[in-house]
Amino acid sequence: MLSVIVIWLYIGITTFIIGYGVLRVITRHLPYCTLNADAYFMCGLVSVTVYAQFFSLFSGVGQAANLVLCVLCALIILVNRKAFAETVRLMVFSTEETFSRFVFGAVLVLFLIFAYGASRGMIHYDTGLYHAQSIRWIEEYGAVRGLGNLHCRLAYNSSSFALSALYSMAFLGGPSFHCVAGWLSFLLAVVCLSIGKSLRAGRIRTSDFARVMCVYYLVNIFDEMISPASDYFMVLVAFYIVIRWLDLSERGEKTILPYALLCVLGVFLMTVKLSAALILLLTVYPACRLTGEKRWGETGAYLGLGILTALPFFIRNVVISGWLVYPFTQIDLFDVVWKIPRGLADYDAREIQVWGRGYTDVAQFDMPVREWLPGWFGTLAGSDKVFVLAAVAAVAVLLAEAAYLIWRKHKEYRASLTDSVARERVMSPALFLAQATVAASFLFWLCTSPLIRYGCVWVYLTAAVVFGGLYEAVMRFADGGWRMASGRTVSALIVLLLIYKGAALAREIAGSYVNDYWLVQKDYDNYETRPYEIAGVTFYCPIAGDQVGYSSFPSSPSEAGIGFLGEGISDGFRADK
């Protein structure tokens, strides 16, 4: 646990400083001021991830990468000493969420609780299968040409692996730590703290419903966030984007920049897990406003930020697999010697989809939805069934809501009404777009590869955001007495739910408590392997099963049929023809 705390402090300091520097550059030409600390942390997290990915194209992400990062942080502080100190002072003492003793105490308690959870727990199955190996390759060699030929899952590029490698501290000679998912979980827990104000006031907003589902998810993964699985990164960042987008909508934010920066964060989310790409539907809102106001310079700036965020991800895709987006072969732009064979890539893509539907036989890939959907639904846990049904109902409500808005707009047009404020009272465009985005993401997940851990964020958020928005709209037109009574009732129900989940988490922690990992975080799970050779180089594969863990390196689930592109493994691999 102590090692987690020390690394978290390092992550927090470096990401905050880098985030401050990046936002200072952006807002120099696009004036906007935010004093939400999480905005700096998240901006920094994205920035250092992009940096780590670029660095991996030339070298392993280890000691040198961290030294350069620290130098950059020092330069930012030296150049902006007074402004940086003033920003921190205002953030602590002059924001709407002033750091009272209670807030500071709550943040400290969450920090210690989540550090405890991130120091022990269950390592995800896929971490032993390929996450740990992917991170070690980045630590030691960076991006290696044709790496996916050694094991196709090593071609499942995720920007989160580069971030984990940067902060693993493996270059110190000890274990490779995996603390970043826990840090991100802690940040989201702090973001959710503000629900306390709404509960005390008895006025629940749509963003509060999203926060409740985020808390629900954080409790569910508390004993799993030790694992550097890309699924956790994707879900947590998606929760953050939607919650902060709703916050902007609810306070009537008119400035485009915060919405646009959340869209850039959506680009980052796509690089964490490509299946989350529909989050980019949010770009419609700032794009329409920018183009409508003919602000072409700003439009180009945001496009540039998005391209810069995504660029190293796509370059790494080509380097490690030969495909722009592995394992999808519809985009075939590069004819390189290390390209993973098309047949293997197509098989891999189909295997992902049938696995999500609850099958292991790839031959069932073409099974109609009406045949596999009932069986898939029947295998879900009871609570997941309720959430899926609620999400389906929410999609139906949203479609009806869209039809009503179209009818209303047509009616206003015919009556020559131009009161945009009146229309906005019915539905904020930013809110409706958020609802449409999470609903579209839910439908995409449901129709492609609906494994709960792949897309639970869309399952949870669709019902929360749609029904939460409907509840808030009804409250807007209700009389004062009924609104107050209803608000208190809903607040009480949410408090009971949070107490229940908190008690469940406490029981889980107490039931699994062992007096260990107080100093050093639990290591990766490692498995018994046997060596085999290719061109005089020793590789490893498991004696049983397909997991290898971190220590047996380099490894693959079975003996790989590959050739070298050069003299050593750092030169890359090609498929053995």
Side-chain angles (χ1 to χ4, degrees):
M1 180 176 172
L2 180 61
S3 63
V4 173
I5 291 174
V6 172
I7 293 173
W8 277 11
L9 292 174
Y10 176 63
I11 294 173
I13 292 170
T14 53
T15 55
F16 184 88
I17 295 173
I18 293 295
Y20 168 81
V22 171
L23 285 178
R24 185 166 175 81
V25 171
I26 293 173
T27 56
R28 186 184 300 273
H29 303 289
L30 303 171
Y32 182 79
C33 180
T34 178
L35 294 176
N36 285 330
D38 57 90
Y40 293 92
F41 286 121
M42 291 301 296
C43 179
L45 205 66
V46 173
S47 301
V48 299
T49 304
V50 172
Y51 159 75
Q53 290 178 96
F54 273 121
F55 201 97
S56 74
L57 298 175
F58 307 98
S59 174
V61 180
Q63 183 177 16
N66 278 274
L67 285 175
V68 173
L69 178 63
C70 290
V71 170
L72 289 174
C73 290
L75 289 175
I76 291 172
I77 296 298
L78 287 174
V79 172
N80 303 277
R81 289 191 303 273
K82 293 183 179 179
F84 179 80
E86 181 65 11
T87 298
V88 173
R89 187 190 70 81
L90 290 174
M91 196 172 296
V92 174
F93 297 110
S94 303
T95 67
E96 293 180 3
E97 299 178 8
T98 302
F99 263 52
S100 64
R101 292 181 179 179
F102 173 79
V103 173
F104 180 81
V107 171
L108 180 60
V109 169
L110 285 176
F111 184 87
L112 295 175
I113 290 175
F114 276 82
Y116 174 87
S119 66
R120 65 204 70 211
M122 300 182 295
I123 302 294
H124 195 286
Y125 184 94
D126 283 356
T127 296
L129 183 62
Y130 73 95
H131 297 161
Q133 287 287 308
S134 295
I135 292 169
R136 185 162 181 181
W137 276 102
I138 296 172
E139 291 170 349
E140 299 198 14
Y141 297 102
V144 175
R145 293 179 298 168
L147 179 62
N149 289 302
L150 175 62
H151 178 202
C152 65
R153 286 179 172 82
L154 295 176
Y156 292 175
N157 181 29
S158 171
S159 60
S160 66
F161 296 153
L163 180 64
S164 295
L166 179 67
Y167 289 119
S168 72
M169 303 298 144
F171 64 88
L172 295 176
S176 176
F177 294 100
H178 27 98
C179 305
V180 188
W183 169 256
L184 194 54
S185 299
F186 161 68
L187 283 184
L188 265 292
V190 174
V191 169
C192 291
L193 270 180
S194 61
I195 194 176
K197 288 185 177 180
S198 299
L199 293 175
R200 289 194 299 273
R203 185 184 179 188
I204 306 301
R205 294 176 174 266
T206 309
S207 60
D208 296 317
F209 289 100
R211 281 180 167 87
V212 169
M213 296 316 304
C214 184
V215 172
Y216 178 87
Y217 178 75
L218 289 172
V219 172
N220 287 348
I221 67 164
F222 185 82
D223 61 346
E224 303 172 28
M225 61 186 177
I226 185 176
S227 195
S230 57
D231 296 320
Y232 302 145
F233 287 87
M234 187 277 284
V235 173
L236 292 167
V237 174
F239 265 120
Y240 180 85
I241 292 172
V242 174
I243 288 172
R244 282 312 189 193
W245 183 281
L246 294 172
D247 286 342
L248 293 174
S249 172
E250 289 164 359
R251 73 168 184 245
E253 180 63 60
K254 298 301 181 183
T255 307
I256 297 177
L257 185 138
Y259 292 103
L261 291 184
L262 284 176
C263 291
V264 175
L265 186 56
V267 175
F268 168 74
L269 180 65
M270 179 192 68
T271 70
V272 173
K273 205 168 182 66
L274 199 62
S275 60
L278 287 186
I279 193 72
L280 296 182
L281 290 173
L282 291 176
T283 59
V284 170
Y285 181 70
C288 288
R289 288 190 56 190
L290 287 169
T291 55
E293 298 171 17
K294 295 181 171 52
R295 295 159 66 174
W296 308 118
E298 287 185 46
T299 303
Y302 298 131
L303 282 174
L305 286 172
I307 292 171
L308 181 63
T309 301
L311 185 60
F313 167 75
F314 288 111
I315 294 175
R316 280 181 48 83
N317 278 345
V318 176
V319 171
I320 65 180
S321 71
W323 298 93
L324 185 67
V325 182
Y326 181 85
F328 304 106
T329 59
Q330 290 80 359
I331 304 176
D332 187 359
L333 302 177
F334 305 96
D335 186 18
V336 291
V337 68
W338 63 82
K339 179 184 288 188
I340 296 175
R342 177 184 291 271
L344 179 59
D346 288 336
Y347 181 90
D348 204 11
R350 294 186 175 191
E351 187 175 44
I352 293 171
Q353 293 202 16
V354 299
W355 181 262
R357 297 168 183 174
Y359 299 96
T360 56
D361 184 4
V362 178
Q364 296 177 310
F365 172 78
D366 293 325
M367 183 184 296
V369 174
R370 65 178 181 275
E371 293 184 19
W372 65 258
L373 189 61
W376 165 82
F377 185 78
T379 62
L380 296 179
S383 58
D384 289 334
K385 289 179 180 178
V386 172
F387 284 124
V388 168
L389 290 175
V392 171
V395 171
V397 169
L398 185 63
L399 290 174
E401 190 174 48
Y404 167 74
L405 291 175
I406 293 172
W407 170 82
R408 180 184 174 88
K409 184 176 181 180
H410 179 68
K411 181 180 178 181
E412 289 178 343
Y413 174 76
R414 293 191 63 179
S416 299
L417 296 177
T418 58
D419 185 3
S420 60
V421 176
R423 289 198 298 271
E424 210 164 292
R425 289 193 190 118
V426 177
M427 174 60 64
S428 160
L431 171 59
F432 183 77
L433 184 59
Q435 293 174 331
T437 298
V438 296
S441 298
F442 165 73
L443 292 176
F444 177 76
W445 164 82
L446 184 65
C447 296
T448 53
S449 185
L451 192 64
I452 281 292
R453 66 179 173 86
Y454 289 170
C456 60
V457 62
W458 313 124
V459 177
Y460 299 156
L461 280 177
T462 300
V465 173
V466 173
F467 290 127
L470 185 62
Y471 167 81
E472 195 172 356
V474 171
M475 290 298 99
R476 191 177 299 124
F477 295 102
D479 65 80
W482 192 85
R483 182 166 57 240
M484 183 178 295
S486 177
R488 289 176 177 173
T489 301
V490 173
S491 297
L493 290 174
I494 291 175
V495 169
L496 289 175
L497 175 62
L498 295 178
I499 291 175
Y500 170 76
K501 293 301 292 183
L505 177 60
R507 287 196 303 269
E508 180 181 327
I509 293 174
S512 61
Y513 173 76
V514 178
N515 190 26
D516 56 3
Y517 304 119
W518 289 107
L519 293 179
V520 180
Q521 182 190 38
K522 177 183 176 181
D523 199 0
Y524 287 110
D525 291 336
N526 291 296
Y527 302 85
E528 191 175 0
T529 59
R530 62 177 178 82
Y532 69 95
E533 287 193 1
I534 300 176
V537 177
T538 301
F539 292 80
Y540 299 89
C541 65
I543 291 178
D546 54 5
Q547 294 172 287
V548 290
Y550 178 89
S551 60
S552 295
F553 180 84
S555 65
S556 57
S558 59
E559 293 191 19
I562 55 173
F564 289 178
L565 294 177
E567 296 181 357
I569 60 176
S570 62
D571 296 317
F573 310 98
R574 57 172 172 78
D576 194 8
K577 298 180 181 179

